[in-house]
Amino acid sequence: MENYFEMHMTLSQVKEISSLGLAHIGDGVYELLCRAYLCEKGGKKVNNLHKNAIKLVNAAYQAKVMEKLLPVLTEEEQDFYRRGKNAHTHAAPKSATPQEYAKATGLEALFGALYLMGRTERLNELFCLGMEAQNGI
């Protein structure tokens, strides 16, 4: 039986997935990490958890996180980020600029690639570094 909590795809397998496919899985990974982060930080009431998750899981915030992460990315990680950032998305949400949306898509593609390759330690390291950027949540 496949264990989808611990993926171990090869680099070549992950490279075969489209940029938006990587962003699709990375979006879910990032949101799950944010929800776990908020619960661990003492969130008790679901309404507060939801409001705080919305603050973290949006293109504008994810773009800020990505700006903090860029200097520490490996060359391979930068490639996954650029693939996502340069993907042709059809629309950006009203709450974000096209540039913010592109950076957020890049972050999601990077997180998706790391998750699929089973590089959860590095994924967690980057997530924690990104959360250091948050204010008041």
Side-chain angles (χ1 to χ4, degrees), residues 116-127:
L116 290 172
M117 290 186 289
R119 297 182 187 171
T120 54
E121 189 172 317
R122 178 61 172 161
L123 179 58
N124 192 61
E125 179 184 334
L126 292 174
F127 177 77

Side-chain angles (χ1 to χ4, degrees), residues 54 57-61 92-98 100-101:
I54 289 171
V57 184
N58 67 71
Y61 186 81
K94 294 177 186 175
S95 61
T97 67
E100 289 171 329
Y101 191 66

Side-chain angles (χ1 to χ4, degrees), residues 39-53:
C39 286
E40 193 271 334
K41 293 296 176 195
K44 302 291 184 245
K45 296 185 179 180
V46 72
N47 191 40
N48 289 338
L49 288 170
H50 179 69
K51 286 179 184 178
N52 286 330

Side-chain angles (χ1 to χ4, degrees), residues 30 34 37-38 52-58 61-62 131 137:
Y30 179 79
C34 286
Y37 169 84
L38 292 170
N52 286 330
I54 289 171
K55 292 177 185 177
L56 298 175
V57 184
N58 67 71
Y61 186 81
Q62 288 173 275
M131 286 301 101
I137 297 175

Side-chain angles (χ1 to χ4, degrees), residues 18-91:
S18 72
S19 300
L20 293 179
L22 292 175
H24 174 74
I25 188 70
D27 177 54
V29 169
Y30 179 79
E31 183 161 357
L32 179 60
L33 289 169
C34 286
R35 288 177 178 218
Y37 169 84
L38 292 170
C39 286
E40 193 271 334
K41 293 296 176 195
K44 302 291 184 245
K45 296 185 179 180
V46 72
N47 191 40
N48 289 338
L49 288 170
H50 179 69
K51 286 179 184 178
N52 286 330
I54 289 171
K55 292 177 185 177
L56 298 175
V57 184
N58 67 71
Y61 186 81
Q62 288 173 275
K64 289 178 188 172
V65 167
M66 196 61 239
E67 288 172 13
K68 182 161 186 160
L69 297 181
L70 274 172
V72 302
L73 296 182
T74 66
E75 216 172 289
E76 180 182 85
E77 292 167 347
Q78 289 174 21
D79 288 344
F80 283 116
Y81 165 69
R82 273 192 298 276
R83 278 184 58 196
K85 181 178 175 257
N86 295 332
H88 295 288
T89 56
H90 296 290

